[in-house]
Amino acid sequence: MTDPGQLEAPFAADLDRRGRWLRRLAVALLAGALSVGYSWTFFGRIDSTSGTRDWVFYQSSAEVVRRSVLEHRQLPQWDPWRCGGAPLLAHPALDVGSPWGLLQIGLGPSLALRLSVLLHLFVALVGAWWWARRRGLSAVGAAGTAIAFGLSGWFAATVSWGFAAALPAAYLPLLVIAYERSRQRLGAALAGGAVLALMVVEGGLAMAQLGLLLVLCLAIVDGCAGWRPALRSLASLALHAAAGVGLAAYKLVPAYLLVREWPLPPPKSDMLVLSQVVDMLLGRTSGHWVAGYTNERFQYFAYIGPLVMAAALWGLWQARRPPWDKLYAAVGLLMLVVLGQQGTWMPYHWLAKVEVLRWATLYPSRLVIAVGLLLALVFGLVLDRLQSRLRQRWPRWPWRALAGLVVAALAVDLGLVAHGHWRSQPFAADPIARQANPFHLVDGDRGAGYRNLRANQGTLRCFDPLPIAPARGLRTGVQPQVWLAEPEAGSVELEQFSPNRWQIRVALERAGVILVNQNFDRGWHALGERSAGAFDHEGQLAIEASAGEGVIALEYRTPGLVEGALAFAIALLAVLGAALATARRETPAASTVVPP
């Protein structure tokens, strides 16, 4: 006769599975509600079309992406409105081609950027929660970890000042989860590589480098347990990097070629001292307003509040025992990179000289974001340990509810700091109507880029993270955008204008040079019977044309895009094949139940 327990087991498993999904749904709903409530002040202060700070740079670029795709049916490769013309797809700080970047095309720049902020905050909260639960923390401890990381000062500064390239730091918990899983199943490193690639494609090259540095510190700590764990950590780290580089190749290859042409300057300030790091973690104001700190040294602050800092100091006493030992060892390695004085033997002094790492090392305060993530986990651990100890001594007290109140107090504290920053920002209040003017350049300033773009005006004095300088020969005002270096040689006329393609009608009595009102880039190609090719004329785009009448087409093709796309396709096939092979190998064979 069949045992009733055998019949009830499948139903119990099904109920347990449903319960897990309901709990996950509840966590997602709570994280979504918290994300909306936390960022509501920012959403209410920026109007539908305008913004300030670095948001102008990202709004303008998002609008150019939308125009290129919807109006001109082109890949968004070149931005003729920024700084006299600058690369778009190849720019390492711009989101062109990511899933969130696609929102810019359908929803417009302002709404897309708002949703991007909201979704990144949601990912930060859920990712930190997931990481804490995988570490064995209770629901209250995991909630404390999620809030201490997701709502901390790095996110407030990112949104307040428009550092959209720092939003991919929200993926750091997911990257750490992938690394920790890869120590049991090496194939999980492919997921970590995909996270790194997403960070790069979103324009967060500095955050991807920061994520690799964080994983490297964790790998070093894990590798100290013996040569086998060291080899496992090394293999995981290598697979992370290889998968990340391959999956982001269509962005990385063009970005690398562009940065070689416009290299970032070395940091003006070397590293941080301990007092500055304490200011970043406990100061309720951003480093932009802290006297004595340069912007290069103190761009990001990562306020975590006194509750998290007190928990970190309490956990320091437990650092000789697991899991505290590995956490604090990783914090120590990160601080070893951050701290020091100029010209010393400290690692940052040497890392800052490596051109490939320049995006991450330009602002050493960025590295404190990873320190904040580890301290957030310490906060959750301390909550759980205190609950357990106090429950043993006074079992009748509702310690879980009291711990929940501590987490709520932390959320209120972090929220008040963020809202104080956002209320102080002078966001524009009046919408900007689009004007049907002929394309031309104006001097402008870094705050007028998006406003000028809506009027079809390119801005010369614009903001760009890369040191892109407009050519001296560029002309401002409503006037012809192409002209002859020697006017008596004939006549030229711009017949068709689009971001990636300019069509020019020429009628020359003798060979001459056509000057185009754009910066030169080696991605420009001049096509046509009357063209002898495009070249650099003191930084300005120029065409060498032969005598006669005809049409010359100027086309922009992002250098390295074809090679990067090919590498991406190969990497994608390799990753999918490896993931499929791993899934087949780890899937147990289906068992056949024989009735008694």
Side-chain angles (χ1 to χ4, degrees), residues 356-414:
V356 178
L357 300 177
R358 190 64 53 79
W359 282 93
T361 58
L362 183 62
Y363 302 106
S365 55
R366 288 171 171 168
L367 305 176
V368 184
I369 298 176
V371 176
L373 173 61
L374 297 179
L375 294 183
L377 183 64
V378 170
F379 176 69
L381 281 168
V382 169
L383 276 181
D384 279 1
R385 294 298 172 90
L386 287 178
Q387 280 188 82
S388 177
R389 291 187 179 184
L390 294 174
R391 191 180 296 111
Q392 292 176 359
R393 182 168 297 184
W394 296 289
R396 295 185 178 181
W397 281 72
W399 296 113
R400 180 173 297 181
L402 293 176
L405 290 177
V406 172
V407 174
L410 175 65
V412 170
D413 180 39
L414 297 177

Side-chain angles (χ1 to χ4, degrees), residues 27 122-139 141-150 169-184 214-215 217-218 222 323 326-328 330-331 334 369-381 384:
V27 169
F122 176 81
V123 170
L125 292 171
V126 174
W129 163 277
W130 186 16
W131 182 40
R133 293 293 281 172
R134 285 184 55 83
R135 283 277 189 150
L137 271 65
S138 68
T145 298
I147 289 174
F149 173 68
Y171 302 130
L172 288 178
L174 301 180
L175 182 62
V176 175
I177 291 172
Y179 164 73
E180 292 180 347
R181 293 187 65 181
S182 69
R183 290 184 51 77
Q184 286 76 40
L214 174 60
V215 172
C217 292
L218 295 173
D222 291 333
K326 291 187 177 182
L327 279 175
Y328 278 95
V331 171
L334 285 171
I369 298 176
V371 176
L373 173 61
L374 297 179
L375 294 183
L377 183 64
V378 170
F379 176 69
L381 281 168
D384 279 1

Side-chain angles (χ1 to χ4, degrees), residues 290-515:
V290 177
Y293 297 142
T294 63
N295 185 32
E296 287 76 13
R297 182 189 296 268
F298 213 77
Q299 184 185 20
Y300 293 86
F301 84 126
Y303 175 77
I304 58 176
L307 288 174
V308 178
M309 184 59 74
L313 294 176
W314 187 88
L316 189 60
W317 293 99
Q318 313 292 326
R320 292 175 295 179
R321 298 192 294 252
W324 312 91
D325 52 353
K326 291 187 177 182
L327 279 175
Y328 278 95
V331 171
L333 287 174
L334 285 171
M335 295 298 288
L336 187 65
V337 176
V338 176
L339 296 179
Q341 292 295 328
Q342 187 171 5
T344 63
W345 58 269
M346 300 294 280
Y348 179 84
H349 178 67
W350 305 102
L351 290 174
K353 296 180 179 180
V354 182
E355 185 177 339
V356 178
L357 300 177
R358 190 64 53 79
W359 282 93
T361 58
L362 183 62
Y363 302 106
S365 55
R366 288 171 171 168
L367 305 176
V368 184
I369 298 176
V371 176
L373 173 61
L374 297 179
L375 294 183
L377 183 64
V378 170
F379 176 69
L381 281 168
V382 169
L383 276 181
D384 279 1
R385 294 298 172 90
L386 287 178
Q387 280 188 82
S388 177
R389 291 187 179 184
L390 294 174
R391 191 180 296 111
Q392 292 176 359
R393 182 168 297 184
W394 296 289
R396 295 185 178 181
W397 281 72
W399 296 113
R400 180 173 297 181
L402 293 176
L405 290 177
V406 172
V407 174
L410 175 65
V412 170
D413 180 39
L414 297 177
L416 289 175
V417 170
H419 285 217
H421 282 284
W422 297 338
R423 283 195 298 269
S424 67
Q425 301 308 310
F427 290 115
D430 50 321
I432 307 168
R434 184 170 176 180
Q435 303 174 25
N437 297 323
F439 169 77
H440 61 281
L441 301 179
V442 296
D443 286 329
D445 58 71
R446 65 169 291 171
Y450 187 63
R451 186 179 298 274
N452 292 339
L453 174 61
R454 297 289 291 180
N456 205 21
Q457 299 170 348
T459 306
L460 292 182
R461 297 178 184 175
C462 68
F463 164 74
D464 196 298
L466 289 175
I468 296 177
R472 288 182 295 179
L474 299 182
R475 298 178 177 180
T476 59
V478 180
Q479 56 180 302
Q481 298 301 298
V482 293
W483 62 91
L484 287 168
E486 299 177 351
E488 63 275 8
S491 63
V492 293
E493 179 185 0
L494 179 62
E495 285 190 337
Q496 183 181 352
F497 164 80
S498 65
N500 298 343
R501 181 182 172 87
W502 294 38
Q503 185 169 304
I504 304 170
R505 172 72 61 178
V506 299
L508 302 181
E509 297 178 1
R510 66 175 187 268
V513 174
I514 303 173
L515 298 177

Side-chain angles (χ1 to χ4, degrees), residues 19 47 102 223 292 384 539 569:
D47 82 314
L102 297 178
D384 279 1

